[in-house]
Amino acid sequence: MSSPEWNNPVVKWVDDRLPVFSLMHHSTAGYPTPRNLSYWWNFGSLALTVLIVMVVTGIFLVMSYTPHVDMAFDSVERIMRDVNYGWLIRYIHMNGASMFFIVVYIHIFRGLYYGSYKGPREILWILGVVILLLMMGTAFMGYVLPWGQMSLWGATVITNLFSAFPIVGDFIVTLLWGGFSVDNPTLNRFFSLHYLLPFVLFAVVGLHLWALHAVKSNNPLGVEMKQPEDSIPFHPYFTIKDLFGMGLFFMFFLFFVFWAPNFFGEPDNYIPANPMVTPPHIVPEWYFLPFYAILRAITFDIFIIPAKLGGVLAMFASIILLMVLPWLDRSKVKSCKFRPVYKWFFWILFLDCIFLGYLGKKPAEGSYIIMAQLATLYYFAHFLVILPLMSKIEKVVDLPESISAAVLKKSEDA
Amino acid sequence: MRKLFIAAVAALTLSASAAQAAGGAYVPELKDVNWSFEGFFGQYDQKQLRRGFQIYNEVCSACHSLRLVAYRNLSALGFTEDEIKEIAAEKSIRLPHGDAGALLNDDGEFFTREAKPSDKFVSPFPNDAAAIDANGALPPDLSLVAKSRLGGPEYLYSFLMGYMDEVPEEVAHQKGFILNEDKSFNIYFPGYYTSMPPQMMDELVEYEDGTEATAVQHAEDIVAFLNWAAEPELDERKSLGLKVMLFLLVLTAMLYALKRKIWADVKH
Ligand code: HEM
């Protein structure tokens, strides 16, 4: 795919020296995309959209926010009450975090279903997991900033986890806190990092897209593009499809902003932080709940690993595990469309994750603990036992010859 | 579709709160009130907010602060500038010292000045310790209670109307339940006993607009006012929301038409 000849002399002059126009051409009209992508392929561009929305609203929030324990809560309320359209900016940012996770979780499950993590997309996938980790760090620190009860106590519980690590644990916790409890220095450093990480995210998303453009998109059939008829240019076909998806998505997003702005939030965070009063239930934001359930499921020592450390390790492992997924799943077939057995395990894993989320919200007592232990066990078994086993024993359905062959057949049948 | 969605969201919230309540002690379902500010088109009823303000001003403000609301904000309830000046001037703000730098005046009292419209609502107690000392527990600031309690306005209404002379069976039979003569029994309050005496009774205040002064009326009015204190932007939020949605609906429909057109001759 060569660059077009630029007719406009100014464009040509610039492009010869800095090929921005060629770059734009390569990633739009000159970028081949599988013709059969479904709407599940809209979620990557949606994630990028939310990231931009978060950065823009965040920058405006910072203009009126004060990162000090005595002033943070009131400065946020000032944004809500006295800053022009401050309530709108804050509610977009607040709900945007939830939207980001909804979109990215769908994006990830899309990848799991269609085997998008398999070669040649391993690095693309791993960068995705890095993005997920960065998002989690950013969201966690952002939640601390309004300095409500849940900000303080959520931060206390989560930072305390690091004390589970032997030898270095206490050192790490003191470093995170900048003192001996979650206090003003903690708020200051979290604020600083919360501003920094989204830009790191931008950089990693850039790599993610670079990798994508090198290996091109997977598609619902999981069969790579082989011939020109398999693809259509990204522009105009997917620019318009992504724009339409964005219209739908913004309606969903803004419904919450305008009519249920605190739907995803915890009421307790509207009480100013108070180190003397512990709230009855400390729960993380909904998007952390499955991991929180895994953390609390480990209530027993594993050999020399004490329960608390075990929980922390299990929680981190549940995410890091995704990075080695391309090497756990050895099946030659990517898409679940052609994996009659594994397809069902995919859906069981999906339900398992929802169930873990439900358990994360429940108090860690009685039968909830046992259920969380079983659900955690299943989560790990899926990746470490079922998936490798499936790659060996599953009888897959015959793959179509090519994307275009399958598309033509479908339209003839119709 | 939209109805379906709202129903789904409502069902989720309800089941979530029911499940949470079911976790421990017996708590009856929250009383349901039809607020004017509910739903897609719901807005505050300005007259009701004024009645609610009257109750706050004459009753609750004896114990509770409302520190995030300023007197100037009362213009949203339809008070004129002069009226707001008068309302503010009834309160006095303690000064750290007088003009000459003395801490106390000739009568041995703190220097004070009249509150101005730009001031936040003046708190009844100088600090938390004094408030606890006078009331047996801290009367929480009311600026955000409508948002900081699960159930929001429904909870506030239920709490205000939840006082009972007799402890109901379901509670009395619970393990570990102990009668407490010093406090008031309230079926909705976590732990049942609250240091706040019951407030809602007929003719608590005499409404300036002539509305009949029943306990139920009072409770609805004060809660509407507290919801306004917590979400003063609600009216503007919803009306802007409707315009934005309408715009998005048209835009998305056009994008869809365009998508159909562009993809018309592509088999996929
Ligand atoms: C800030 C968050 C993210 C942004 C902005 C983003 C952006 C994108 C975009 C624009 C695409 C191409 C469109 C598409 O296939 O949907 C894409 C593809 C992809 N992303 Fe992401 N992504 C994010 C997070 C993640 C995460 C967390 C993962 C996995 C753990 C991931 C894995 C993938 C994979 C495997 C593909 C290729 C999919 C395919 O071709 O089938 N991404 N991403």
Side-chain angles (χ1 to χ4, degrees), chain A residues 37 40-49 51 100 104 107-108 110-111 114 116-117 121 124-132 135 201 205 208-209 212 216-219 322:
Chain A
L37 294 188
W40 297 117
W41 268 257
N42 278 51
F43 286 85
S45 74
L46 289 181
L48 184 57
T49 311
L51 180 60
F100 207 174
V104 164
H107 191 64
I108 295 175
R110 183 281 314 263
Y114 294 108
S116 299
Y117 47 85
R121 296 187 182 80
L124 174 61
W125 172 260
I126 291 170
L127 287 167
V129 182
V130 173
I131 289 172
L132 177 64
M135 277 174 65
L201 263 169
V205 169
H208 187 73
L209 291 178
L212 173 74
K216 309 287 184 292
S217 282
N218 184 27
N219 62 79
L322 293 174

Side-chain angles (χ1 to χ4, degrees), chain A residues 6-236:
Chain A
W6 301 108
N7 293 327
N8 184 317
V10 180
V11 169
K12 184 169 165 36
W13 186 89
V14 173
D15 202 69
D16 287 345
R17 287 155 183 82
L18 180 72
V20 277
F21 294 100
S22 292
L23 180 78
M24 271 160 31
H25 175 81
H26 277 310
S27 41
T28 52
Y31 179 65
T33 317
R35 63 191 302 158
N36 61 334
L37 294 188
S38 67
Y39 277 101
W40 297 117
W41 268 257
N42 278 51
F43 286 85
S45 74
L46 289 181
L48 184 57
T49 311
V50 189
L51 180 60
I52 294 168
V53 168
M54 293 304 276
V55 168
V56 171
T57 50
I59 287 174
F60 280 103
L61 285 175
V62 170
M63 293 179 189
S64 309
Y65 170 78
T66 313
H68 187 284
V69 288
D70 294 334
M71 289 175 266
F73 189 91
D74 286 5
S75 74
V76 171
E77 279 304 317
R78 214 189 125 250
I79 293 173
M80 293 296 290
R81 289 157 192 270
D82 291 337
V83 173
N84 290 334
Y85 290 101
W87 57 267
L88 181 60
I89 295 168
R90 178 178 183 231
Y91 276 157
I92 290 178
H93 198 76
M94 212 169 101
N95 286 279
S98 284
M99 292 303 138
F100 207 174
F101 280 94
I102 292 176
V103 165
V104 164
Y105 283 151
I106 294 176
H107 191 64
I108 295 175
F109 275 106
R110 183 281 314 263
L112 287 173
Y113 188 86
Y114 294 108
S116 299
Y117 47 85
K118 292 186 192 185
R121 296 187 182 80
E122 299 95 328
I123 293 187
L124 174 61
W125 172 260
I126 291 170
L127 287 167
V129 182
V130 173
I131 289 172
L132 177 64
L133 287 169
L134 283 168
M135 277 174 65
M136 292 179 145
T138 311
F140 166 65
M141 289 192 259
Y143 194 60
V144 176
L145 303 185
W147 209 243
Q149 272 292 66
M150 239 6 118
S151 302
L152 169 65
W153 291 98
T156 304
V157 170
I158 301 300
T159 49
N160 251 316
L161 294 179
F162 290 90
S163 71
F165 291 106
I167 309 169
V168 290
D170 286 333
F171 173 74
I172 297 178
V173 176
T174 313
L175 194 70
L176 285 172
W177 287 346
F180 301 99
S181 66
V182 175
D183 206 336
N184 201 45
T186 327
L187 180 59
N188 286 169
R189 58 196 58 195
F190 279 19
F191 176 50
S192 171
L193 293 175
H194 183 69
Y195 209 140
L196 170 68
L197 286 188
F199 294 93
V200 179
L201 263 169
F202 260 130
V204 183
V205 169
L207 293 176
H208 187 73
L209 291 178
W210 190 10
L212 173 74
H213 283 212
V215 297
K216 309 287 184 292
S217 282
N218 184 27
N219 62 79
L221 296 172
V223 179
E224 298 296 316
M225 294 184 280
K226 292 171 197 148
Q227 54 212 19
E229 301 84 72
D230 290 345
S231 71
I232 45 178
F234 186 85
H235 180 74

